[in-house]
Amino acid sequence: MTENNHGVAKVDQIKRWSPVWIIPLVTVLIGAWILFYHFSHQGPEVTLITTNAEGIEGGKTAIKSRSVDVGVVESAVLTDDLHHVEIKARLNAGMEKLLHGDSAFWVVKPQVGREGITGLGTLLSGAYIELQPGSKGEKPEQYKLLDSPPLAPPDAKGIRIVLDSTKAGQLNPGDPVLFRGYRVGSVETSSFDADKRAMQYQLFVAAPYDRLVTSNVRFWKDSGIAVEMSASGMRVEMGSLTTLFSGGVSFDVPDGWELGVPAENKAEYHLYDDQRSIQDSLYTTHLDFLMFFSDSIRGLQPGAPVEFRGIRLGTVAQAPYTVPGWNQSLNTDYRIPVLVRIEPDRFVNRLGGDFDIRQHLRDGKKRGLRASLKTGNLLSGSLYIDLDFYDNAPQYKGPEKVAGLEIIPTVSGGLSQIQQKLMDALDKINNLPLNPMINQATGTLKESQRTLRELQKTLDNVNKITASPSMQQLPQDMQQTLRELNRSMKGLQPGSPAYNKLVGDMQRLDQVLRELQPVLKTLNQKSNALVFEAKPGEDPQPKRAKQ
């Protein structure tokens, strides 16, 4: 500032920067560089979805891969629908290469399973999330956080198979997959398909055993100890030690079948209950027939065999079977329909050549071919159907077809047939004229007693004659004859063995006839009383005297 001659101050503007502003500018530049460096060197963000965030804490729970820290959990919040937990995690810089479509995340914590105790190291350090790197596919928007590690890595060499079953709880994740007793894989997942209304199990068979899985293999439940009681008897099987407690699944190609072509990944198969039941899958061609039984079908279950003299011909499909449009009256002639499936391959394979089993069954009906129910197992009461020729079978005069199904005639068999024969025999016994025979025997017994009394009188007279003085005056020969006659008569007099035996026989005969009368009376009232217990009769009630 200068002062002119007139006494007025003149102000000059300074045109240079003040050093004071250097410090704020440097601070801003450093902050911007720090932010740029932080975001430019920050790792990728990962979103995990789970149903339970137990043990997961934001800013503390680490993410590891092969025991190396690769990230940390930033936050864990509920989703908008309140049904899941959304976990935000940040990986370290340079870890993008770990994330692919087949990468897997799971929580590591102490667990007790069939493989032993795992995750003991987390008792002090706390739970952490394990990351299994992937190799295929693009990184998705979110990953599913698993509760347990996958049984097989996504990049493991092998094949995955899907099994369907109508029974739940047969297999669990981790159960072994066996081929002739040797472990070749594991059960990965178990889920219920609501659309198919069936259980689905995913199996993994590791290489090089994946080539054992072909189009003709069959899978069955391999339990530790299997006990089965069927029409064929009682069967007990014990599996390997691997499946003794937990069970598993086995597969193989049925005997006599070709190996087939190698199976494709995610191929679908059916899970059978046991190894014997896979034989049912070998016979896909069948002929349906209808049978009407007058006997009780209690114990006849679907799946029971249909045999011809011990050779299986088919299987019971439905018992009882609802025949469309067929009405019966509920009377003594009511017959229960049963649908059977005759499988020609079971019989043709034994005979060979061109064998028309349907025509043979038609011809057999004319020659007495009939079906009957037989007991397959006395302990379980299971039944099976037996086909055989009966010489005395009446000619079949019923319809040849009902509801489009051919009819195979039936006869009573097994215990029902024995019961019918016994009833016929009892009816014949009941029709015998036993009462007149008893009356006649009683009259004969009375006549015998009268004859014995007359004989006693005759003996007394003979004794008097032989002891009289006039006996001494008779000729010697006549005296000898009278003595012999007297000796013979003494053998029949009271007290002699012959007399006692004759009287005893008469008394026993009378006792038997008296005891037989109640039995005959019961048979007259109920002819099958010898087989089924008859109810005791009511005590006679005294009648009031007439006034």
Side-chain angles (χ1 to χ4, degrees):
M1 182 179 67
T2 60
E3 185 175 346
N4 53 19
N5 295 328
H6 300 284
V8 179
K10 183 179 181 181
V11 180
D12 296 331
Q13 185 177 2
I14 299 175
K15 297 182 179 180
R16 60 181 179 177
W17 292 97
S18 175
V20 179
W21 293 101
I22 296 176
I23 296 176
L25 290 175
V26 171
T27 304
V28 171
L29 292 175
I30 293 175
W33 172 254
I34 292 174
L35 291 175
F36 173 77
Y37 183 85
H38 172 74
F39 284 104
S40 63
H41 289 76
Q42 191 177 32
E45 185 184 49
V46 179
T47 303
L48 306 177
I49 299 297
T50 182
T51 57
N52 187 2
E54 180 183 1
I56 306 299
E57 297 182 16
K60 293 184 178 181
T61 303
I63 299 178
K64 298 183 179 182
S65 178
R66 303 183 187 275
S67 300
V68 176
D69 289 345
V70 295
V72 67
V73 173
E74 293 182 341
S75 63
V77 296
L78 291 174
T79 57
D80 295 337
D81 58 3
L82 304 179
H83 292 162
H84 299 85
V85 177
E86 183 180 76
I87 298 175
K88 295 290 186 179
R90 179 73 63 178
L91 299 185
N92 298 337
M95 296 294 106
E96 297 88 350
K97 55 188 175 182
L98 301 178
L99 300 177
H100 292 85
D102 54 355
S103 299
F105 294 83
W106 68 88
V107 180
V108 179
K109 54 186 177 181
Q111 290 184 348
V112 179
R114 60 167 60 92
E115 302 295 337
I117 302 176
T118 59
L120 290 178
T122 61
L123 290 176
L124 299 178
S125 62
Y128 64 90
I129 297 177
E130 179 72 17
L131 167 59
Q132 179 176 278
S135 59
K136 299 179 181 179
E138 296 292 334
K139 171 191 171 184
E141 295 182 358
Q142 59 186 21
Y143 291 91
K144 182 179 180 181
L145 182 61
L146 306 177
D147 294 332
S148 58
L151 298 174
D155 56 348
K157 295 182 178 180
I159 187 174
R160 284 177 168 82
I161 299 299
V162 178
L163 303 182
D164 65 87
S165 174
T166 56
K167 297 182 180 179
Q170 288 190 308
L171 298 176
N172 297 308
D175 288 345
V177 178
L178 307 175
F179 179 80
R180 299 180 181 177
Y182 184 77
R183 182 164 185 168
V184 296
S186 302
V187 178
E188 287 189 322
T189 61
S190 172
S191 61
F192 181 76
D193 191 340
D195 296 333
K196 296 182 179 179
R197 298 187 178 183
M199 290 294 299
Q200 282 196 344
Y201 306 99
Q202 181 172 301
L203 280 57
F204 177 76
V205 180
Y209 310 111
D210 54 345
R211 57 189 178 186
L212 298 175
V213 183
T214 62
S215 58
N216 286 342
V217 298
R218 294 294 184 270
F219 292 82
W220 67 89
K221 178 72 171 63
D222 193 0
S223 58
I225 299 178
V227 180
E228 178 185 0
M229 296 183 65
S230 62
S232 302
M234 183 175 181
R235 182 177 61 90
V236 179
E237 287 186 357
M238 179 176 292
S240 62
L241 293 178
T242 307
T243 61
L244 183 60
F245 299 102
S246 61
V249 58
S250 295
F251 69 95
D252 201 347
V253 178
D255 295 338
W257 273 41
E258 298 180 354
L259 296 180
V261 298
E264 298 181 356
N265 193 40
K266 295 297 185 70
E268 296 185 359
Y269 293 86
H270 179 71
L271 179 62
Y272 293 90
D273 293 335
D274 49 46
Q275 187 175 6
R276 293 188 60 189
S277 61
I278 67 175
Q279 298 298 326
D280 297 337
S281 66
L282 305 181
Y283 306 102
T284 57
T285 303
H286 58 83
L287 305 175
D288 292 343
F289 289 87
L290 199 59
M291 301 178 180
F292 289 89
F293 289 97
S294 58
D295 302 329
S296 173
I297 64 170
R298 181 181 179 87
L300 184 65
Q301 300 293 334
V306 178
E307 299 180 355
F308 173 74
R309 297 181 179 178
I311 301 177
R312 183 163 181 173
L313 291 182
T315 306
V316 175
Q318 295 185 34
Y321 174 68
T322 303
V323 182
W326 178 263
N327 297 320
Q328 294 189 80
S329 300
L330 189 61
N331 51 27
T332 57
D333 195 33
Y334 186 85
R335 296 177 177 270
I336 304 174
V338 175
L339 179 65
V340 300
R341 292 178 175 176
I342 302 298
E343 295 149 347
D345 294 339
R346 293 182 181 270
F347 204 67
V348 173
N349 291 342
R350 292 178 170 85
L351 298 180
D354 187 11
F355 185 84
D356 189 355
I357 191 170
R358 185 186 293 272
Q359 187 60 39
H360 280 269
L361 291 176
R362 292 173 180 172
D363 297 339
K365 288 193 297 184
K366 301 176 182 178
R367 300 194 302 268
L369 181 65
R370 299 293 185 267
S372 61
L373 295 176
K374 297 292 184 67
T375 301
N377 192 314
L378 294 176
L379 296 178
S380 62
S382 58
L383 302 177
Y384 71 96
I385 297 178
D386 180 67
L387 289 174
D388 206 342
F389 290 93
Y390 293 85
D391 297 334
N392 57 350
Q395 184 178 0
Y396 178 69
K397 299 180 180 179
E400 293 295 330
K401 290 185 178 182
V402 172
L405 299 174
E406 292 193 30
I407 303 297
I408 296 181
T410 63
V411 295
S412 297
L415 294 177
S416 300
Q417 190 175 10
I418 296 176
Q419 178 183 353
Q420 185 63 34
K421 292 182 178 180
L422 185 59
M423 294 284 293
D424 295 339
L426 293 176
D427 290 339
K428 292 181 180 180
I429 295 176
N430 189 34
N431 294 330
L432 292 176
L434 295 180
N435 290 332
M437 293 174 60
I438 293 175
N439 296 333
Q440 186 176 0
T442 304
T444 303
L445 181 61
K446 293 180 180 179
E447 292 295 333
S448 300
Q449 292 176 351
R450 189 180 299 107
T451 301
L452 289 176
R453 288 195 294 268
E454 296 295 334
L455 181 60
Q456 182 62 37
K457 293 180 181 180
T458 303
L459 288 175
D460 294 339
N461 293 331
V462 171
N463 289 332
K464 291 180 182 180
I465 292 175
T466 55
S468 62
S470 58
M471 178 65 181
Q472 305 298 329
Q473 300 177 3
L474 295 175
Q476 189 67 24
D477 295 338
M478 185 174 290
Q479 292 181 11
Q480 184 66 26
T481 301
L482 290 175
R483 291 191 183 94
E484 293 293 337
L485 178 61
N486 187 24
R487 190 178 299 108
S488 300
M489 298 299 288
K490 286 181 179 180
L492 297 176
Q493 66 183 357
S496 63
Y499 180 84
N500 293 337
K501 184 177 181 181
L502 181 61
V503 173
D505 293 341
M506 291 296 181
Q507 291 176 351
R508 283 192 293 271
L509 178 61
D510 182 66
Q511 183 179 359
V512 170
L513 293 176
R514 294 179 183 276
E515 293 178 352
L516 190 60
Q517 287 181 351
V519 177
L520 295 175
K521 183 178 180 181
T522 303
L523 290 176
N524 288 332
Q525 297 175 353
K526 187 177 182 180
S527 60
N528 59 353
L530 294 179
V531 179
F532 303 99
E533 182 180 2
K535 296 182 180 179
E538 299 179 356
D539 296 334
Q541 300 293 331
K543 296 181 180 181
R544 186 176 58 181
K546 297 182 179 180
Q547 297 179 354

